[in-house]
Amino acid sequence: MTKIVNSWNDFDPLKRVIVGRADFSVIPPEEPATSEKVPIDSEMRGMWGPRPTETVEKANAQLDYLAKVCEDHGVIVDRPTPLQWNQPVITPDFRTDSMMTCMPPRDILLTIGNEIMASANSFRCRYFEYLAYWPLMKKYFDEDPEFKWTQAPRPRLTNASYKHNYYDEKISLEERLERTAAKDFVTTEAEPMWDAADVLRLGKDLFIQHGLTTNRTAMEWFKRYYPDLRVHAVNFPGDPYPIHIDATFVPLRPGLIINNPHRHLPEEQRKIFEANDWQIVDAAMPAHETPPPLCYSSVWLSMNCLVLDHKTVICEASEVHQMEQMDKLGMNVIPVPFRDAYPFGGALHCATADVYREGGCEDYFPNQVEDPTLV
Ligand code: GLY
């Protein structure tokens, strides 16, 4: 019997992975959820349409190289089947004029044990992105009799799913930080909405970021869907655009997490890590002052690394401070150039989705702690 799908965390030995592709990528038009993702001073505000071909080619070259490095380290690499993303998305509830990309499978696919679930994304432009992964899911389904192929409840994404006029040109960075600290996000609680990259898997415990792309109703849904796992809501008040946990709170091995020093986990939420002897250390400063052009993400993609096993990590090749810190933390670092791929959906963790990591569902947090701030 072939076992193809199994993964419970981000650090056990990686044996099979999906690496995204940048083909046909589009900068999508603004919509209620995405106007929040593009910082007010970004050159991308108001801009949409297919990304320039030469940038797609450069991104694909770096994605191909990442795939090769993984293969050289004994990892089987699968790739999605890109769609022509420059097509409108039309449902009974909304219309938006284009889709986006399949560069970051991490946003769409959540692997928990022998199950891969396509997420319930809040961006309308991402409504059909899962289709790029369906050929792979069918293959795993055919070849692995234990594989559970799942789709989370599809959100309707009507106007009721978003706060209107949440985005306001006049809002200052301080006001934005006050809002995110108060857990006031663009998504409402009308239905479960979540991106897979907001879910940090640590065996029996899921730490899910409450932010612009994932709401509390999703966490309640996770609790009911996975009754054997423990779901914890986390939030990071220092992040003005809290989207995805993997440039903020990144585990390197059992007992060790690097945390973005500008986005500390609040005191109350640290208690469960302290009670179980986990170390949370500040990540190194990024090597760059700005992200590359036409990039959605921040310079903190510096810490968005791909852990191959408890001692080996792939880091972006120019992130000298992060690589030095990894070395001090006892990790062997494999540098991979990736900044040309950043604008298409993030760094090395974003660009990959786990299929198989050797290991089971460990209990890393036997001492559970109630967090009154999250009730
Ligand atoms: N949310 C990813 C970033 O920090 O840019």
Side-chain angles (χ1 to χ4, degrees):
M1 194 163 69
T2 316
K3 183 114 183 90
I4 291 184
V5 178
N6 179 68
S7 176
W8 292 98
N9 56 54
D10 281 321
F11 43 60
D12 279 347
L14 185 66
K15 298 292 170 193
R16 189 164 185 151
V17 74
I18 300 172
V19 173
R21 287 190 193 277
D23 310 62
F24 315 129
S25 293
V26 173
I27 297 175
E30 211 168 284
E31 52 166 292
T34 60
S35 61
E36 286 316 304
K37 191 170 165 70
V38 185
I40 42 176
D41 53 356
S42 166
E43 79 274 21
M44 291 169 74
R45 285 210 74 86
M47 176 189 276
W48 76 279
R51 286 183 180 264
T53 310
E54 67 276 14
T55 66
V56 172
E57 285 167 359
K58 282 187 180 165
N60 270 338
Q62 294 196 333
L63 286 156
D64 291 349
Y65 183 65
L66 171 64
K68 182 181 175 311
V69 169
C70 289
E71 282 169 353
D72 289 348
H73 285 79
V75 180
I76 299 171
V77 177
D78 295 322
R79 310 296 298 272
T81 306
L83 274 70
Q84 282 289 349
W85 302 114
N86 193 19
Q87 299 182 64
V89 178
I90 303 166
T91 77
D93 292 305
F94 67 83
R95 175 196 163 104
T96 191
D97 284 326
S98 92
M99 296 183 278
M100 200 161 100
T101 185
C102 61
M103 182 278 191
R106 187 71 61 173
D107 299 358
I108 304 296
L109 300 178
L110 181 68
T111 312
I112 296 186
N114 61 351
E115 176 169 16
I116 301 182
M117 185 184 301
S119 52
N121 309 81
S122 61
F123 291 10
R124 290 171 173 171
C125 61
R126 308 195 78 172
Y127 198 77
F128 289 121
E129 207 169 301
Y130 71 95
L131 292 173
Y133 306 104
W134 251 220
L136 288 176
M137 300 283 267
K138 173 67 163 60
K139 180 177 158 64
Y140 305 156
F141 189 76
D142 288 344
E143 294 174 15
D144 177 353
E146 290 178 1
F147 169 51
K148 286 164 77 178
W149 175 3
T150 317
Q151 168 73 67
R154 310 292 336 262
R156 291 187 68 168
L157 306 182
T158 69
N159 288 343
S161 291
Y162 312 99
K163 288 180 196 160
H164 292 287
N165 305 317
Y166 176 91
Y167 178 76
D168 174 352
E169 293 285 345
K170 291 184 210 79
I171 188 172
S172 66
L173 181 64
E174 288 67 34
E175 286 166 319
R176 183 172 285 279
L177 285 168
E178 275 166 29
R179 272 193 194 178
T180 59
K183 301 177 201 161
D184 173 11
F185 302 116
V186 65
T187 37
T188 66
E189 299 297 338
E191 55 187 343
M193 287 177 276
W194 55 278
D195 279 14
D198 281 319
V199 183
L200 169 58
R201 305 158 306 136
L202 289 169
K204 274 186 83 66
D205 293 82
L206 301 177
F207 294 88
I208 307 184
Q209 172 169 252
H210 183 202
L212 295 170
T213 39
T214 294
N215 64 8
R216 296 302 296 266
T217 308
M219 299 189 202
E220 180 57 30
W221 181 84
F222 269 97
K223 280 186 186 163
R224 296 187 202 181
Y225 189 80
Y226 290 112
D228 296 334
L229 303 183
R230 298 176 295 232
V231 175
H232 312 269
V234 287
N235 69 297
F236 298 91
D239 188 354
Y241 301 95
I243 292 175
H244 305 160
I245 198 166
D246 53 358
T248 298
F249 202 61
V250 175
L252 300 181
R253 58 176 179 255
L256 180 62
I257 291 192
I258 53 171
N259 187 186
N260 187 316
H262 292 184
R263 308 172 185 170
H264 278 143
L265 184 66
E267 209 51 51
E268 289 295 332
Q269 296 171 40
R270 297 175 90 88
K271 286 186 178 155
I272 185 169
F273 294 92
E274 288 157 2
N276 292 280
D277 297 324
W278 279 65
Q279 217 191 336
I280 301 177
V281 298
D282 278 356
M285 291 304 285
H288 300 270
E289 282 179 6
T290 53
L294 302 182
C295 182
Y296 291 113
S297 308
S298 73
V299 287
W300 290 103
L301 289 179
S302 54
M303 54 185 290
N304 186 280
C305 56
L306 178 65
V307 176
L308 293 189
D309 59 46
H310 297 192
K311 285 185 162 29
T312 317
V313 61
I314 303 182
C315 290
E316 205 286 325
S318 65
E319 292 296 346
V320 285
H321 309 307
Q322 192 53 73
M323 288 194 288
E324 191 185 325
Q325 181 187 39
M326 292 292 188
D327 184 53
K328 285 192 182 135
L329 291 170
M331 304 295 286
N332 298 314
V333 181
I334 305 166
V336 166
F338 212 63
R339 275 177 67 85
D340 289 340
Y342 281 11
F344 292 78
L348 300 144
H349 191 258
C350 309
T352 55
D354 284 15
V355 179
Y356 195 97
R357 285 187 189 263
E358 232 164 58
C361 179
E362 301 295 329
D363 187 354
Y364 298 111
F365 300 93
N367 301 318
Q368 291 287 303
V369 173
E370 283 297 320
D371 179 353
T373 65
L374 297 177
V375 177

